[in-house]
Amino acid sequence: MHLYKLNHIRQLESEAIHIMREVAAQFENPVLMFSGGKDSITMARLAQKAFWPGKIPFPFLHVDTGHNFDETIEFRDNLMDDLGVELIVAHVQDMIDEGLVKEEKGPNPSRNKLQIPTLLKALEDHDFDAAFGGARRDEEKARAKERFFSHRDEFGQWDPKNQRPELWNLYNGHKSPGEHFRVFPLSNWTEMDVWQYIAAEGIDIPSLYLAHTRDVVEREGTYLAKSKFITLTEEEEYEEKQVRFRTIGDMTCTGAFKSDADTIPQVIEEVASARITERGNRTDDKRAEAAMEERKKQGYF
């Protein structure tokens, strides 16, 4: 008798596709949060496969801080054209202009926390009742507490002590009016899993993930890319180095590191031997011991 077996990556793919289909079945108006990073790109491929040969039955939402890498925005726009999906862009700058949020001061002001009210307003304006996110439990200790279906109250807030059990692959999407869910199909994936899936599927990625030459400044042990959003102190100066990024976020808080890995197989080899966490070069996570959890409680991704 022939037994059909899935390898590790295909098991994760099957689980993620099952969750996406569950959301499409249980919720009326889902959306996929898209940042242009490798996790959301992986989510886009999974959505393609989940509903093939039909079209992806929900729009994508990007919370644009205005401090993005040019490469990320160009990649985002090209991918949306290829997928043929609707892209909704919620701009942090609009929230600032309307006086709804206040920008930080300092040499590299982060707009990271300003994404929270921008996201919540976008979800409310479009009446989305479920939002897919690419967060994984291996990324950060606060994200390790998440369920696949993560309930948010009427204020968009998350209570890590009040989560629903998920037994036998059954997911409870019941909610009251004004509430919504964040859904994380990649919860059980690791950084290595994502890269192996990208390699197996032949998925295109932004060039930022591969080694390239760039002007950077070293600040608190992290290389920050040269940009108009960063103000150098008297002691600082830009240096040209060969670097790549493990995560992609704002230019003001996403750190690069020196690397020679300019192909996906080399990236996989580098990840396998890494001794620092994936978000170890994110300055926004270093502001406090529980920085991520506090942001998530308020409504962050």
Side-chain angles (χ1 to χ4, degrees), residues 36-42 136 191 194-195 198 209 246 278:
K38 66 183 183 305
D39 299 313
S40 59
I41 293 168
T42 297
R136 309 186 320 270
E191 181 186 11
V194 172
W195 280 115
I198 288 171
Y209 282 116
R246 284 175 75 181
E278 181 180 359

Side-chain angles (χ1 to χ4, degrees), residues 107-108 217-224 230-233 236 283:
N108 61 318
V217 60
E218 184 173 2
R219 181 174 289 174
E220 298 179 359
T222 296
Y223 289 119
L224 295 176
I230 294 176
T231 302
L232 298 185
T233 65
E236 293 176 332
T283 60

Side-chain angles (χ1 to χ4, degrees), residues 1 10 38 46 48 50 70 86 95-96 113 132 135 162 166 176-177 217 238 249 293 297 299:
M1 181 175 66
R10 295 308 172 188
K38 66 183 183 305
L46 291 167
Q48 263 189 312
D70 291 338
E86 177 189 1
M95 298 284 284
I96 295 172
K113 289 186 68 174
F132 289 107
N162 184 23
E166 294 179 342
S176 299
V217 60
Y238 286 113
E293 181 159 335
K297 287 179 180 179

